[in-house]
Each structure stands twice: as C-alpha cells, then as structure tokens.
Amino acid sequence: SLREAKGAKMTIFRFMAGALMLATAALSQAAPDKSIESNEQGTGYSLEFSYPAVIAEHPALQQMVLAERQTQLTQLKQWGKDWVSENPERAVETDMESFITWQTVANLPRFLSLTKDIWDYSGGAHGNWWRSSIVWDKQLGTVRKPIEMFVDKQAFDRVMHERFCEALDAERARKDGQEPVAGKDDAEYWQDWMERCPKPSELDIILGSSDRKTFNRLAVYVGIYTVGPYVEGDYEIDLPVTANLIAAVKPEYRGVFAVSPKSAAKARER
C-alpha cells in the first residue's frame, strides 16, 4: 500500500541518517546541538529540513542555509506540480520528497565545520543521497570548502592520496568480503570504475576536532556510485592529520590545525 511504501522509505532514511550522524560524531567530541526543524508538504511533494541551532548564531550563515532550503522547496513544488499533471490518478501520493539535515562537526573559536546530508526520492526503486561539507569563518563571516584551506589540491593529494586509497580498499574489502586490491587511479577509471581510487581532493573533505580548539581529525566522504554500485552505498574514510598534512595547509590557517592524537602518540613511541 501507499502508506507501507512511504513508511519503508522513511525507515530507510532514518536508518541512513542515523548512520551518518554516528560517522560525524566520530569526528567530534562536542555535545549534540539542538536542531531547528521545518517541514512542508503539499500536493505531490514534501520537504523535511533541519539545521543545528548554532547556525542561528550567525545571521549570514543562517540566511545562506535558509536560502538553499527555499531553492530546494521551489524546485520540489515544481516537480510535484509536474508529477500531478502527468499522473492525475496518483495526485494523493507524495512522490517528490527531500530530507535535508545539517550537522555540526566541529565548533572552534574561529571556525564552524558543518556537513549537509540530502536524501531525495522522485519515484522508482530507491532514493539517492549525498553529503557535502563547509567551513564557516566566524571572524570574516565567509564560507569555504575545507579543501580551500590547503595550499592547493595537488599538495593535499601528495600527502593523502596513498593513505586514502589504502583505507578505501580496506573498506571495500570489508563490505564485499573480498581481498583488497590496489586502488587504480583516475586514468584507469573506464577500465574498472569499481576499483578506481579517485583523488581525495576531488571529494568532500570533512574537518573534525577532539579538543574544540583545533582541526585534528579529518575524513573523506565518497558518495554512492563514485567507486561502486548503488548497493555498495557510500564511504566515509577517516584519515590522520599529520605534520606533513599541516605543512600543506595555507600559512594563515596552519595554527588552527593539530596532529591527530593517535598520530602524535605513535610519533612519541618512535
């Protein structure tokens, strides 16, 4: 029935959102932030939207987030209108659905690291989801992608590519039960895209913190279809912040980065 189908979709999304929250929590030791939620439903569409209350402390950031919500809502309404026009006999169904969840990863004195998870369903066998990340500069009132805090993409990849590929291959092996394979680079993409290892700088970098003072945790998010089929899902690969990585950070931001606790402990053991 329609109710059962909608219930199944909601269950899948809630499970997926919970898993994503656990992955984000691994990058931060901050207490969960209260959420501001707003839901809207009309003929042929629905939108569930939430963001942490800390965003409201920064009016320009909140304005940006709410503007994105309005853009998504406007698009959903149009899709819903088109859906009802083309399928009048199914007008009572809500086949254009979006769930958008912003989360706080790290709240430092100057910077706020955030992720945005989106799940869309527009009919068919399943919905699609993806994750993106930003860093808000409280001092300047500006937003940037985490990769922009590094000298350039090449500098980031020189330090992280090999480690990322090894960790990604290990996670692939864990998911499919097969032995790890050496990650292939972009030049070999069309030979076997399910074994490729993309450059981490081309993916979403998520900056986290364990001390609420510095970025000493980092993850690379790999979305669905990027390195494997839909059923394989997505990946969030945790990688250490090392001295070599900090050297690749732009000079004006290096003071806010610190070596990961585990990496620092290993260095002391040597």
Side-chain angles (χ1 to χ4, degrees):
S1 68
L2 171 61
R3 180 174 296 179
E4 290 173 341
K6 286 181 63 62
K9 286 189 290 182
M10 285 295 296
T11 299
I12 292 171
F13 172 71
R14 298 302 181 194
F15 174 80
M16 182 188 67
L20 289 169
M21 287 180 183
L22 287 174
T24 297
L27 291 175
S28 173
Q29 291 185 344
D33 196 6
K34 293 182 179 179
S35 291
I36 298 174
E37 301 180 359
S38 61
N39 304 325
E40 183 166 335
Q41 183 170 342
T43 304
Y45 76 92
S46 70
L47 171 66
E48 291 194 17
F49 186 89
S50 67
Y51 62 94
V54 68
I55 286 180
E57 297 174 11
H58 309 280
L61 174 61
Q62 184 182 36
Q63 184 179 7
M64 182 197 78
V65 167
L66 293 179
E68 288 187 0
R69 176 192 181 277
Q70 186 58 46
T71 297
Q72 183 73 1
L73 183 59
T74 299
Q75 189 174 55
L76 277 173
K77 287 182 176 180
Q78 184 59 52
W79 287 345
K81 182 179 179 180
D82 294 343
W83 165 258
V84 172
S85 175
E86 295 169 5
N87 304 274
E89 75 285 357
R90 299 178 63 186
V92 296
E93 299 184 28
T94 304
D95 265 18
M96 304 299 162
E97 297 177 293
S98 282
F99 305 86
I100 301 177
T101 303
W102 285 86
Q103 296 181 64
T104 304
V105 183
N107 190 352
L108 308 187
R110 178 178 170 181
F111 296 102
L112 184 62
S113 175
L114 300 160
T115 57
K116 178 176 68 174
D117 295 308
I118 300 179
W119 185 84
D120 276 339
Y121 180 80
S122 56
H126 55 70
N128 291 311
W129 74 93
W130 59 95
R131 160 174 282 195
S132 61
S133 63
I134 62 169
V135 173
W136 175 255
D137 188 329
K138 303 175 187 178
Q139 179 177 308
L140 299 180
T142 56
V143 66
R144 59 177 49 82
K145 298 295 289 182
I147 192 63
E148 295 172 358
M149 300 181 79
F150 294 86
V151 173
D152 54 37
K153 291 183 176 181
Q154 292 74 25
F156 182 86
D157 288 333
R158 277 196 296 271
V159 178
M160 304 301 282
H161 195 194
E162 184 176 349
R163 293 174 182 168
F164 168 69
C165 290
E166 290 176 354
L168 176 61
D169 286 339
E171 280 298 296
R172 284 168 162 162
R174 184 184 64 80
K175 280 191 177 184
D176 61 25
Q178 298 180 14
E179 288 297 316
V181 296
K184 298 181 179 180
D185 61 27
D186 287 346
E188 298 170 298
Y189 176 81
W190 295 113
Q191 295 179 30
D192 192 341
W193 68 284
M194 289 188 290
E195 292 181 7
R196 76 182 285 248
C197 181
K199 295 175 181 177
S201 66
E202 302 296 335
L203 305 172
D204 269 283
I205 311 302
I206 304 171
L207 298 177
S209 175
S210 64
D211 59 12
R212 305 186 191 181
K213 297 178 182 178
T214 59
F215 289 128
N216 60 10
R217 295 183 173 184
L218 181 147
V220 178
Y221 177 74
V222 188
I224 55 172
Y225 294 123
T226 304
V227 296
Y230 181 90
V231 68
E232 195 171 293
D234 54 4
Y235 294 87
E236 189 164 297
I237 306 298
D238 294 325
L239 297 169
V241 176
T242 62
N244 287 341
L245 180 63
I246 295 175
V249 175
K250 290 179 179 177
E252 61 265 37
Y253 301 129
R254 283 178 192 162
V256 79
F257 282 78
V259 174
S260 296
K262 290 184 178 179
S263 295
K266 288 181 180 179
R268 287 194 297 269
E269 292 172 358
R270 294 193 184 100

